Amino acid sequence: MKQTVLVVEDEPAILTLLRYNLEREGFSVSEARDGEEALTQLEERRPDAVLLDWMLPLVSGIEVCRRIRRAPAWRDLPVIMLTARTEEGDRIRGLDSGADDYVVKPFSPNELIARLRAVIRRARPATAAETLEFADVSLDLAGHRVSRGGTPIHLGPTEFRLLRYLMERPGRVFSREQLLDAVWGHDAYVEPRTVDVHIRRLRKAMNDGDRTDLIRTVRTAGYSLDLSQV
Ligand code: CA
């Protein structure tokens, strides 16, 4: 079955270019010209990924992305932001809003499609798999069970959600704010420091008996699940 991409872009020339290249690569394309229309279309049909322009009429791309991440049904939907801006600050703001990747205009269609395939691939285990695996850790989504090297590990509900989120996206670094948004929900009144507390609990449970620590602390940036240090 064809994978569907929702392209949200108000410039007709770029829309045409994207549609042409995506269809040539075997994707099915739906279009929205502004942020409102994008959100309406998402309600009607969930695509496999969203290409989201930053500068849009009515509701900005950043705001659309935030709303996608806030909605439980769309939380895992891959989003790539398109933008003409190149400043580092904007880049970080784009990723902070929950985008999976970021492409600066003018872009190479081939590179864009490669990145699109990558984010769709990364997202798939979260929706399809019943069990997530990372190193010797196994997380059973339906049964809410975690084991390491075959030994059951008991986690609190927050630690379970935290581990699940990291296992669905191994190797990626998340800031405390991103983890708060994803695991606690956007509207929760929780301090970023709370993330450290739960990471500590998660580590303690996971590393019982001097096992290798799989969670990497990235100074000033945040946390990731990482095998490189093993
Ligand atoms: Ca635009």
Side-chain angles (χ1 to χ4, degrees):
M1 211 176 85
K2 278 191 180 183
Q3 289 177 325
T4 307
V5 180
L6 173 62
V7 181
V8 191
E9 170 64 81
D10 57 320
E11 287 164 66
I14 297 180
L15 205 48
T16 305
L17 175 78
L18 285 169
R19 175 182 279 282
Y20 173 78
N21 282 284
L22 287 165
E23 286 180 346
R24 197 190 55 183
E25 292 293 325
F27 290 96
S28 163
V29 176
S30 55
E31 295 176 358
R33 302 293 179 112
D34 61 60
E36 297 266 12
E37 199 189 333
L39 293 164
T40 309
Q41 287 216 21
L42 283 170
E43 296 277 3
E44 285 164 7
R45 187 182 172 200
R46 187 193 152 108
D48 292 288
V50 181
L51 287 181
L52 186 57
D53 187 33
W54 178 302
M55 300 293 282
L56 289 169
L58 303 180
V59 183
S60 76
I62 292 265
E63 183 54 29
V64 172
C65 192
R66 288 211 181 97
R67 291 197 201 172
I68 288 174
R69 287 299 172 253
R70 240 179 273 166
W74 301 335
R75 190 165 281 169
D76 296 323
L77 191 58
V79 176
I80 294 184
M81 294 282 296
L82 299 175
T83 178
R85 306 184 184 204
T86 51
E87 293 90 351
E88 188 66 8
D90 289 336
R91 203 183 102 81
I92 288 166
R93 218 146 58 86
L95 292 176
D96 247 7
S97 71
D100 294 278
D101 206 347
Y102 186 98
V103 174
V104 177
K105 294 177 192 170
F107 50 82
S108 127
N110 286 341
E111 190 198 338
L112 177 68
I113 283 163
R115 288 189 185 213
L116 183 64
R117 290 214 165 99
V119 295
I120 291 174
R121 208 164 40 235
R122 280 209 298 260
R124 194 171 302 145
T127 47
E130 289 290 301
T131 305
L132 300 173
E133 308 274 352
F134 182 82
D136 57 350
V137 180
S138 171
L139 186 148
D140 172 0
L141 289 170
H144 264 248
R145 279 186 294 261
V146 178
S147 65
R148 185 155 188 198
T151 310
I153 290 170
H154 300 285
L155 297 179
T158 304
E159 284 73 42
F160 183 88
R161 287 202 305 275
L162 195 53
L163 179 64
R164 174 184 176 168
Y165 189 77
L166 293 172
M167 284 184 73
E168 283 168 347
R169 300 153 181 87
R172 281 187 59 194
V173 178
F174 295 98
S175 69
R176 289 166 181 81
E177 288 74 16
Q178 286 173 324
L179 291 173
L180 275 181
D181 265 14
V183 176
W184 278 261
H186 191 269
D187 298 321
Y189 292 96
V190 188
E191 282 187 49
R193 191 169 304 198
T194 308
V195 175
D196 299 337
V197 173
H198 288 275
I199 289 276
R200 203 149 56 228
R201 282 188 202 157
L202 179 58
R203 274 197 170 123
K204 190 165 183 290
M206 301 287 292
N207 301 345
D208 190 34
D210 285 335
R211 294 171 194 262
T212 315
D213 191 1
L214 299 173
I215 299 168
R216 183 160 67 104
T217 303
V218 183
R219 200 173 288 274
T220 74
Y223 297 103
S224 77
L225 204 60
D226 201 332
L227 262 183
S228 64
Q229 57 188 352
V230 175

